[in-house]
Amino acid sequence: MLAPLTALAALRRNTIEQFERLGIRSVLDLLRHYPYRYDDLRAALTVAALRALPSIEGEVNVMGVIRHVKHIRLRGRVRAKTTAVVDDGTGAITAVWFGRPYLGSVLKAGQRVFMRGRAEATLTGVQMLVGRHRVVTDDEEYSGELVPVYPLTAGLSNYAVQRLVARALARVGARAKGAALLDPLPAGLTARRRFADALWCVRAIHQPKSLEDAQRARERLIYEEFFLLALAAARRRAARRGESSPDLSSAAAPGALADFHQRMRALLPFRLTGAQERVVDEIVGDLAGSWPMNRLLQGDVGSGKTAVAAAAVLFAVRAGYQAAFMAPTEILAAQQFNSLTRLLSPAGVRVAMLVGALRRSTRDDILDQLRRGELDVVVGTHALLTEDVAFHKLGFVVIDEQHRFGVMQRAALRAKAGALTPHTLVMTATPIPRTLAQTVYADLDISVIDELPPGRKPPKTYLRDVDSKDKIFAFIREQVAQGRQAYIVCPAIDESERAMHTAVKQAERLRAHELAGLRVGLLHGKIAGADKEKIMRMFADGFLHVLIATTVVEVGVDVPNATVMLVFDAHTFGLAQLHQLRGRVGRGAAASYCILVAAGDAEDSARLALLERTNDGFAIAEEDARIRGSGDLLGTRQHGLADLRLAQLVRDYSVFLEAKKDADALVASDPRFEKPENARLAAFLATQHTDSVLLASS
Ligand code: ADP
Ligand code: MG
């Protein structure tokens, strides 16, 4: 049980809801809700000094006694204006507050106040627009403070958070056991890294005596977040080494391996690139090994991941096992099914497809054949996960565009190998920057296809504004006249706040005007699966000249004849996502174009200009991670990244490497945390979500 916030104070229902909106339910959540800056309410200037300044920059502090207050209620949103004359002995200033109706009953003549705000010299003297103030009681020796500034939500004041945090800190500090629960690090590590005490850090980040203290606390807390992330990965990896995997080694016996390579070469209609060859070797090496493979295959769009996967599937089938291939959409599953069938059926490999839209009898047939081992490979969507899908001898699982699937879904597929853990290959076209790959995917081995098949010309990218539309459509018509095709992507299907262009409206408009006479298709998420399939096929077959779509075309779809990718409202997309979209073109031999139409501000344009400059998916992903945070890049917050509150992967990468070194060493020397020095860590992990102990004294 987590100690709820109400263990700290009686809170009103809607206050509780306000905290919940910030993701704060428990006392532990609260203590991990860190301020993002501090307002410096120290070192007041004298009014005389303030007057003597040639100009007053930024916010300043003044402390003095209120001589006179005037409070007026206003109509409208501001509601109130409070004015006070505050005198500090060297002179007086006029302090002004707007929109704080309660001040009328709080501020009184004779009170001492400490104020921080923007000051300005006027004809009648200095005036301050007060941002923060504190009434200082007479018997208080007030020398100022650093006020933590917290992320807030409507209705919740900074002061309310500050006050509740103070209560939590007071209670936690009173209990040695509670304090230990905030400290995951073995004492030896804390000493070696010269970190401050854990409880001190939690206190110092919320109530620092100095900015240096706050910084010292941050250093440890950032390290801790990384340490726990790396520790979890190291443990998963160690656990995997202890699991049994299907034994595929027969396909790697000397004669068999040479035969496999020869067979593969004969099956593929092209020569593998050097990068593909290398990656196939890495995968085959794992498959022949004695623990379950867990490998991530990264390759930019069009780098040829399918051929690599096909080779790996062939290897597994030759060893006598079945393979399952899961893709996120029916369109992609169909495309992969076609590719695998084309590549592998000449070798006698039996491939079937299992998607949601199958006729009952067809589906039953496939399930029977799978169970009896009469099928070698099944390609499908989530439909593979249902309970009635059972295998004769599942040895190898491939998951395409893995970020589209959750951890549970991947686990569900793997569980179909019975007591064994099947070898798993997950593929992604999202280039994952090194920084992220080593954190989020730290328990995976990683292969990278860093070379495109020969003859590819990367698309040229152009950033345009809405005024150039006529030119753009003229260009599209020109391309179509040359026998090419175009994608037009809109950020939303219909009515949407963020999008000026919606797929449905654009389809209507363009069919009637700009693209009249061309065959224009419309594809989006609300269209039923079978129809989606049909439309995609019409585009792939070259019947449709133009496909207007939402981001459903983002992943995987392969139409080499398409040469134009036009994206409307490009500023509403992330860079990595735009790079994915751009990867839909440039898959054939003809020159291709990506046109980004944006209506954002200068900052957006600067961001998008990176796409004009580079085709390097890794550079783009790194930049995206820097701008938008890593969770966003991966499209999900399931990776434990949500536990990173202070740490930022890109900025704090060097800290991560240190933490990972320590975590790996710890797991290597004491995999089950049995040594006495790791006892507290074990307890910490076991009670991660049971901070009720923190407050057990109450
Ligand atoms: P992705 O990595 O995006 O999944 P695909 O596997 O769909 O890429 O491959 C993209 C295209 O490149 C396909 O049409 C495929 O046939 C082709 N291709 C893959 N490898 C090679 C190669 N080594 N030489 C030439 N063409 C290749
Ligand atoms: Mg693909």
Side-chain angles (χ1 to χ4, degrees), residues 284-321:
V284 164
D286 278 2
L287 290 175
S290 53
W291 57 69
M293 170 168 86
N294 198 17
R295 191 170 277 277
L296 174 69
L297 173 56
Q298 288 190 55
D300 217 335
V301 279
S303 60
K305 293 186 289 296
T306 305
V308 169
V313 166
L314 178 65
F315 183 87
V317 171
R318 284 168 59 95
Y321 282 88

Side-chain angles (χ1 to χ4, degrees), residues 305-306 336 400-401 556 587:
K305 293 186 289 296
T306 305
Q336 300 289 20
D400 199 10
E401 301 303 343
R587 298 168 81 90

